[in-house]
């Protein structure tokens, strides 16, 4: 089994289908999944094609051997190691042995909905470009393994509150990881100017949309504004973002706008007109056209699908 095509932005649902996993537990309205790779039935040795997902992921390797590659950097998979990736770079996994490996994936909408709008303030490493895999102590791995088992148990339940519970458990897991891994975080590209530009852009993008949402500002940034914030020419900023992430700057801005829109639309108390202005659109029709172009349905239809 192999991901034969290089995918520009592989969604969670596409990941399930590519790995021949059952989609019976997959909820298209919620961006979260968890499964153990020993359930997939890989034909070993296995190697995936290079792909760039549009979600965050944590890989908890209790027992297994293989290799993880992000862009030109490779890491050997070791027992009791934790791997983290975010929607940024191309990556490849290869496996020689799989005994007990848990993969947790989630998107930004899930984070904002179930953990909170300040998620990147609490967990800044989520915005970092690349985080080195970490081999942890037996005691710490047992702690994370216990939380993962609880998350998996809740995920398999078809209860109205399962994602709220999972959100709380995921927050606990992220705080544990922050305390034990982030304290001595050592990014691959430490000191690399291009990577610092990318990280600064991501943080500014996040802060800008928080300010729009809260009403601190009422005008959406243009590429020129993001460039001015780092004293860069907009063409240079665009070039760096594209070369380092594989995605142009307008796509980053559009995806961020869409994520915030979906999060706001799930709150039925906020009128669509208010959301329109919160996200920097001058007319509701402009916002509706933007949303429908990317989601295939109108903001009203999206809201209705979450409040049946």
């Amino acid at each position: 089994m192999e991901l034969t095509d290089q995918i520009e932005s592989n969604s969670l649902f596409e990941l399930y289908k590519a790995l021949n996993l059952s989609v019976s537990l997959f909820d298209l309205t919620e961006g979260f999944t968890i499964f153990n790779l020993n359930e997939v039935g890989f034909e070993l040795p296995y190697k995936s094609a290079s792909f760039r997902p549009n979600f965050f992921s944590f890989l908890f390797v209790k027992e297994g051997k293989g290799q993880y590659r992000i862009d030109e950097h490779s890491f050997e998979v070791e027992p009791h190691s934790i791997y983290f990736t975010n929607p940024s770079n191309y990556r490849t996994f290869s496996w020689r042995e799989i005994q007990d490996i848990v993969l947790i994936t989630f998107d930004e909408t899930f984070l904002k909905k179930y953990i909170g709008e300040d998620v990147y303030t609490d967990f800044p490493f989520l915005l970092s470009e690349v985080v080195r895999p970490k081999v942890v102590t037996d005691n710490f791995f047992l702690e994370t393994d216990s939380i993962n088992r609880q998350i998996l148990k809740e995920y398999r339940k078809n209860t109205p509150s399962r994602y709220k519970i999972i959100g709380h458990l995921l927050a606990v897991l992220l705080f544990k990881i922050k305390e034990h891994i982030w304290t001595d975080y050592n990014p691959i590209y430490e000191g690399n100017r291009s990577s610092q530009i990318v990280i600064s852009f991501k943080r500014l993008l996040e802060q800008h949309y928080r300010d729009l949402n809260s009403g601190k500002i009422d005008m959406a940034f243009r590429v020129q504004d993001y460039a001015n914030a780092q004293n860069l020419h907009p063409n240079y900023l665009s070039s760096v973002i594209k070369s380092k992430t594989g995605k142009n700057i307008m796509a980053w801005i559009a995806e961020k706008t869409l994520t915030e829109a979906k999060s706001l639309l799930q709150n039925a108390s906020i009128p669509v007109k208010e959301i329109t202005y919160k996200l920097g659109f001058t007319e509701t029709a402009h916002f509706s056209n933007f949303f429908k172009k990317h989601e295939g349905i109108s903001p009203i239809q999206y809201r209705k699908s979450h409040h049946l």
Side-chain angles (χ1 to χ4, degrees):
M1 178 174 57
E2 181 168 330
L3 300 175
T4 55
D5 298 317
Q6 181 163 298
I7 302 168
E8 177 64 15
S9 188
N10 205 44
S11 70
L12 294 174
F13 189 67
E14 288 168 340
L15 174 67
Y16 259 47
K17 292 193 297 183
L19 296 179
N20 291 326
L21 286 167
S22 170
V23 295
S24 60
L25 292 177
F26 193 90
D27 185 344
L28 286 173
T29 66
E30 305 287 359
F32 180 89
T33 69
I34 179 173
F35 59 90
N36 198 306
L37 294 188
N38 63 17
E39 301 171 355
V40 178
F42 289 104
E43 293 183 10
L44 301 177
Y46 165 86
K47 183 178 181 180
S48 75
S50 179
F51 70 105
R52 184 171 63 82
N54 63 357
F55 50 83
F56 300 87
S57 64
F58 276 100
L59 196 69
F60 297 85
V61 182
K62 189 173 184 179
E63 291 293 339
K65 295 179 181 178
Q67 188 179 72
Y68 163 67
R69 183 176 180 86
I70 184 163
D71 292 338
E72 71 274 21
H73 301 275
S74 297
F75 306 99
E76 282 298 313
V77 175
E78 302 177 60
H80 284 199
S81 57
I82 298 174
Y83 295 74
F84 166 73
T85 59
N86 66 17
S88 186
N89 307 84
Y90 285 103
R91 72 284 315 265
T92 304
F93 278 104
S94 60
W95 302 109
R96 301 187 302 275
E97 180 181 320
I98 297 174
Q99 294 182 27
D100 194 345
I101 302 174
V102 172
L103 175 63
I104 295 178
T105 62
F106 48 89
D107 62 20
E108 185 174 328
T109 302
F110 184 87
L111 288 175
K112 294 291 185 69
K113 182 177 180 180
Y114 293 107
I115 295 182
E117 292 294 324
D118 294 332
V119 63
Y120 295 127
T121 301
D122 289 330
F123 311 112
F125 60 86
L126 292 175
L127 291 175
S128 299
E129 195 172 357
V130 183
V131 179
R132 286 184 179 274
K134 178 77 171 182
V135 177
V136 298
T137 64
D138 291 351
N139 286 340
F140 180 65
F141 199 91
L142 285 173
E143 283 189 61
T144 61
D145 189 53
S146 175
I147 298 169
N148 289 339
R149 289 178 187 278
Q150 292 180 63
I151 293 175
L152 185 57
K153 181 179 178 181
E154 294 298 330
Y155 184 69
R156 288 173 172 166
K157 293 179 180 178
N158 188 22
T159 61
S161 301
R162 67 169 172 158
Y163 287 110
K164 290 182 179 180
I165 296 171
I166 287 171
H168 285 295
L169 291 170
L170 180 61
V172 172
L173 185 62
L174 291 176
F175 273 116
K176 291 286 186 182
I177 288 170
K178 178 182 177 180
E179 290 178 355
H180 288 79
I181 296 178
W182 181 252
T183 52
D184 61 352
Y185 167 65
N186 182 25
I188 296 171
Y189 301 117
E190 188 71 53
N192 181 288
R193 175 58 177 155
S194 294
S195 291
Q196 293 306 314
I197 288 172
V198 172
I199 292 170
S200 295
F201 166 71
K202 289 180 182 179
R203 288 174 176 165
L204 182 59
L205 185 69
E206 168 63 21
Q207 184 61 52
H208 175 61
Y209 277 82
R210 286 178 61 188
D211 289 345
L212 272 176
N213 198 335
S214 66
K216 289 183 179 179
I217 56 176
D218 58 8
M219 184 68 68
F221 272 5
R222 304 161 299 164
V223 174
Q224 181 71 60
D225 298 310
Y226 288 106
N228 289 345
Q230 296 196 59
N231 297 314
L232 301 172
H233 190 282
N235 290 345
Y236 179 67
L237 174 63
S238 298
S239 175
V240 170
I241 298 299
K242 174 66 175 177
S243 65
K244 294 293 288 182
T245 72
K247 184 167 60 177
N248 68 52
I249 193 168
M250 292 306 298
W252 276 100
I253 294 171
E255 286 185 11
K256 185 65 178 178
T257 303
L258 190 64
T259 295
E260 293 296 325
K262 289 193 287 186
S263 179
L264 290 167
L265 285 166
Q266 290 178 31
N267 185 343
S269 67
I270 306 177
V272 172
K273 186 175 182 179
E274 183 178 341
I275 294 172
T276 295
Y277 294 116
K278 277 182 177 289
L279 296 178
F281 292 90
T282 56
E283 299 288 342
T284 302
H286 295 163
F287 169 58
S288 183
N289 289 338
F290 165 82
F291 193 89
K292 192 168 185 178
K293 175 184 175 182
H294 291 279
E295 286 295 301
I297 58 175
S298 71
I300 296 297
Q301 290 172 318
Y302 180 86
R303 169 166 280 175
K304 286 180 178 178
S305 72
H306 284 76
H307 296 90
L308 297 176

